Amino acid sequence: MSNDKLTLALQKKGRLSDGSIELLKLCGIKVSNGGNHLKAVAEGFPLEILLLRDDDIPQYVADGVADIGILGMNEVLEKKKDVEVVRNLGFSKCRLSVAVPKTVEYTGRNFLQGKRIATSYPVILEDFLAENNIQAEIHSISGSVEIAPSIGLADAIFEIVSSGGTLLSNGLREVDIIMRSEAVLISNPNLSELKKKLLSKLLFRIEAVQKAKHNKYILLNAPESKLSEIISLIPGMKSPTVLPLAEKGWCSLHSVISEDDFWEVIDNLKDAGAEGILVVPIEKMVV
């Protein structure tokens, strides 16, 4: 592990890996294809990449073999290693849920009392059961958890759910969402000052990408008589940019609006007299 670079642990392959590589790309960091190797080369930032199983990442970061890592919050909670969650990343979203056979009536969490539950997340499940004063038999399975009820191994399962298709194909239905998870950036709590500075620079890039993703750049034409009203609807990062148009009595406004408020703002702008509204994606946003 280099002292003048950050070592980042990533999932070797899969949806989480793809999302991580895409985030780094948007941050100006190109990662070469590691193939079957455990390391990959990064360009555009002082970074070394380790390609690992996602459930091994917490241990590598806690031990200092890797300085930082990207993985699901579910794995952080399951492994309970000495790492710090630095930032939520907003991709690879899923949920940990209880599922039962379609023909079984789920009467609430009390249904689990005395039942057999199959899972690949026994630590999170044990904590959940303890918090709800439920006594149940936990069957820890490393894979193919969904088949457990059909072969008589369990009465219910506790497992990761994304679309729910795997549950349906195994005759199960999701009945209780216990927690929601997404990709997070974790760090070793004992980084050197140099590596803390490098991590801060990386977080700056990530923040710029995330803010751009959740905001839109908007351009519109507005009559000067309606300018104050329209400005009140789109305050922007500080205030909108206002430029005179060639046509007398009209201005062009440039600003930024949140993705969450997008349609409501657009409707209000039209009602206030705005015309020629253009909305453009933002690649990076530094404030």
Side-chain angles (χ1 to χ4, degrees):
M1 185 172 64
S2 175
N3 290 324
D4 58 353
K5 293 182 179 181
L6 281 175
T7 302
L8 169 64
L10 297 181
Q11 185 184 47
K12 189 173 183 180
K13 58 182 179 180
R15 189 165 63 100
L16 181 61
S17 175
D18 294 340
S20 302
I21 298 298
E22 178 62 21
L23 174 62
L24 292 175
K25 180 180 177 181
L26 292 172
C27 289
I29 304 169
K30 182 180 178 182
V31 180
S32 66
N33 189 341
N36 292 320
H37 302 293
L38 295 179
K39 289 186 178 182
V41 178
E43 299 176 9
F45 195 84
L47 199 64
E48 294 179 336
I49 309 291
L50 298 181
L51 302 171
L52 309 168
R53 285 169 48 101
D54 61 340
D55 53 357
D56 287 336
I57 292 175
Q59 184 70 65
Y60 274 70
V61 174
D63 289 346
V65 177
D67 301 309
I68 56 176
I70 296 177
L71 72 165
M73 187 64 191
N74 52 298
E75 290 294 345
V76 177
L77 296 177
E78 179 66 22
K79 298 306 178 183
K80 288 189 173 181
K81 299 299 180 182
D82 184 20
V83 298
E84 294 180 356
V85 177
V86 180
R87 191 172 188 88
N88 291 352
L89 299 177
F91 61 89
S92 290
K93 293 185 177 181
C94 60
R95 54 198 183 271
L96 273 169
S97 298
V98 174
V100 299
K102 294 178 182 178
T103 56
V104 172
E105 181 183 359
Y106 184 74
T107 55
R109 293 179 177 177
N110 61 306
F111 168 87
L112 300 173
Q113 187 69 38
K115 296 294 194 299
R116 299 165 300 160
I117 310 172
T119 184
S120 56
Y121 294 92
V123 173
I124 297 176
L125 176 57
E126 186 176 358
D127 289 344
F128 163 72
L129 294 175
E131 289 170 5
N132 289 272
N133 298 313
I134 297 171
Q135 301 294 323
E137 184 179 334
I138 298 176
H139 288 265
S140 182
I141 302 175
S142 59
S144 302
V145 175
E146 291 82 4
I147 199 175
S150 65
I151 61 175
L153 181 62
D155 304 298
I157 71 167
F158 175 72
E159 194 56 21
I160 284 284
V161 179
S162 294
S163 66
T166 305
L167 294 180
L168 291 174
S169 64
N170 284 277
L172 302 173
R173 61 189 179 95
E174 183 180 15
V175 293
D176 199 348
I177 298 174
I178 305 307
M179 69 163 284
R180 296 186 184 275
S181 179
E182 64 179 85
V184 295
L185 178 67
I186 63 171
S187 169
N188 181 285
N190 301 308
L191 294 181
S192 67
E193 288 303 315
L194 174 59
K195 293 194 173 185
K196 286 180 181 178
K197 290 179 180 179
L198 290 175
L199 177 56
S200 180
K201 290 181 178 181
L202 179 59
L203 287 171
F204 177 79
R205 295 193 187 191
I206 292 173
E207 183 177 1
V209 169
Q210 289 183 322
K211 284 184 176 179
K213 183 179 180 181
H214 296 294
N215 290 275
K216 300 291 184 184
Y217 190 72
I218 184 170
L219 304 88
L220 58 87
N221 296 331
E224 289 181 354
S225 61
K226 297 283 188 176
L227 195 56
S228 296
E229 181 182 354
I230 290 175
I231 285 176
S232 70
L233 298 173
I234 50 169
M237 291 180 283
K238 287 191 176 178
S239 66
T241 299
V242 180
L243 302 171
L245 292 180
E247 184 176 344
K248 188 176 181 180
W250 283 81
C251 295
S252 173
L253 272 70
H254 299 213
S255 191
V256 173
I257 60 175
S258 168
E259 179 78 40
D260 296 336
D261 303 327
F262 176 74
W263 288 112
E264 182 179 355
V265 170
I266 295 298
D267 288 340
N268 291 336
L269 289 172
K270 289 177 63 181
D271 292 342
E275 298 180 5
I277 302 172
L278 298 178
V279 181
V280 182
I282 303 172
E283 184 174 326
K284 309 287 188 301
M285 183 172 169
V286 180
V287 296

